[in-house]
Amino acid sequence: MPEQPFQSEGAIAGSGAGGAMELAAGEAQTLEPRPPVGPAPRGPQGTGPPGPDPSTAPAASADDRPRSLWSDARQDLCRNPVFIVSGLIILFLLFISLWPSAIASGSPLTCDLAKAQQGSAPGHPFGYDGQGCDVYTRTVYGARTSVAVGVCATLGVAVLGSVLGALAGFFGGLWDSFLSRITDVFFAIPVILGGLVLLSVVTSNSIWPVIGFIVLLGWPQISRIARGAVITAKQHDYVQAARALGASNSRILLRHIAPNAIAPVIVVATIALGTYIALEATLSYLGVGLKPPSVSWGIDISAASPYIRNAPHALLWPSGALAITVLAFIMLGDAVRDALDPKLR
């Protein structure tokens, strides 16, 4: 058996240590990251990595900011086709109410008996009524009376009902009980029967007796709505915090409760506006509202009713204008209700 060359322990140890060192150096070269080209970046103090650049931080967009109920409602209304269509119709009605002569030449009181109950003619697209008056001109001028009565009555009802209802809901006690009994009495009065009784003794031919009657019988509904909204709003934490900080009752009611309780009042008042226009036409049709020579859709409908078989156009156009107007305000109120009611979101 050939002899193996003898190696000392030092040689074996040296060769093993050298191999291990070479292997460790190779692994270190493989694992160590390659240094970047150029000078090393420095932090603000000259040491450490640089901090984030504030100029490159993303800015908060408008969608991330908190939005109020009114801003959400405005965006919802702008996307609602029902609101857009009804709003355009109401704007057109307001325009012809303020400037009826812009689309209708002539006077609504100018009549010619020789043309009574005649159909449409050049310059008179709606024909003539039983007295020979131009139906188109009277329909356009009738919008002024109906819209004026509806808007003024709605403002009066909203102001009176909101003030009384807010005071009753905020203070409560005897005033709340007294107002509740008063509203019960007014709710028990039939509207048409009340109009026949109260307006039959009025001799004035202006629109103010009709507006006063509507306000007199219309404020209890708004009062109940405002009372309930104020009772709900005054129980919130921000009202209790304002009271704890020493805010007066008037400041709490006007600055904290009223802005958060007015939404249901706006909705009910918008829908009621169309109802008040229909109520004025009904009272004028019955002969206790506006009276000739005033121009009103109710008066024209009442005058055209006996000639419905011979001249249906004299009844069709003022009735259609009244129906479209009432429908536009009701649609507007429904759209506003959907936008302002958080439960429908």
Side-chain angles (χ1 to χ4, degrees):
M1 183 175 181
E3 297 182 357
Q4 296 288 338
F6 176 77
Q7 295 181 355
S8 64
E9 294 180 1
I12 295 175
S15 63
M21 291 177 62
E22 290 178 0
L23 179 61
E27 291 180 355
Q29 267 188 347
T30 306
L31 299 176
E32 183 178 2
R34 183 171 299 176
V37 181
R42 299 279 181 181
Q45 301 294 334
T47 58
D53 189 0
S55 61
T56 60
S61 61
D63 296 336
D64 297 335
R65 300 173 185 171
R67 296 183 301 180
S68 64
L69 173 65
W70 301 103
S71 60
D72 288 341
R74 183 175 62 252
Q75 292 186 3
D76 292 343
L77 290 176
C78 292
R79 296 192 297 263
N80 192 343
V82 174
F83 174 79
I84 295 175
V85 172
S86 60
L88 292 176
I89 295 175
I90 292 173
L91 287 178
F92 176 73
L93 290 172
L94 293 176
F95 173 76
I96 65 175
S97 300
L98 296 175
W99 299 284
S101 58
I103 62 172
S105 59
S107 172
L109 302 179
T110 302
C111 304
D112 186 1
L113 287 176
K115 300 179 180 179
Q117 302 182 17
Q118 292 185 6
S120 61
H124 307 278
F126 293 174
Y128 299 89
D129 61 6
Q131 300 295 325
C133 303
D134 185 16
V135 177
Y136 173 76
T137 304
R138 291 189 64 86
T139 302
V140 172
Y141 276 84
R144 168 182 290 181
T145 303
S146 299
V147 172
V149 170
V151 171
C152 294
T154 302
L155 291 177
V157 166
V159 172
L160 181 60
S162 299
V163 171
L164 296 179
L167 293 177
F170 184 76
F171 293 104
L174 182 61
W175 171 252
D176 188 13
S177 301
F178 176 75
L179 185 67
S180 298
R181 302 294 76 80
I182 293 296
T183 54
D184 291 339
V185 172
F186 277 94
F187 277 127
I189 301 176
V191 177
I192 301 300
L193 179 60
L196 291 173
V197 173
L198 296 178
L199 295 178
S200 60
V201 298
V202 177
T203 58
S204 176
N205 199 31
S206 64
I207 63 175
W208 297 111
V210 179
I211 294 174
F213 165 75
I214 295 175
V215 172
L216 179 63
L217 293 186
W219 69 267
Q221 181 185 14
I222 300 294
S223 176
R224 288 252 176 123
I225 299 296
R227 174 184 174 273
V230 169
I231 291 177
T232 303
K234 76 175 184 180
Q235 298 175 357
H236 291 164
D237 293 338
Y238 58 84
V239 176
Q240 304 301 328
R243 192 184 301 277
L245 292 174
S248 61
N249 290 333
S250 60
R251 181 178 178 84
I252 293 175
L253 186 58
L254 296 178
R255 293 290 302 274
H256 301 284
I257 294 181
N260 296 282
I262 198 173
V265 175
I266 294 176
V267 173
V268 175
T270 306
I271 298 176
L273 200 155
T275 306
Y276 297 153
I277 293 177
L279 179 58
E280 179 274 325
T282 304
L283 295 174
S284 299
Y285 178 85
L286 296 175
V288 297
L290 298 177
K291 303 175 183 63
S294 298
V295 181
S296 171
W297 289 333
I299 295 176
D300 292 346
I301 294 173
S302 177
S305 297
Y307 311 104
I308 186 173
R309 304 188 62 164
N310 298 329
H313 59 275
L315 178 65
L316 174 64
W317 293 111
S319 302
L322 176 63
I324 292 174
T325 302
V326 175
L327 180 62
F329 280 105
I330 293 177
M331 290 170 56
L332 181 70
D334 289 340
V336 173
R337 180 200 59 192
D338 296 341
L340 293 179
D341 192 353
K343 298 178 182 178
L344 300 178
R345 295 181 180 278

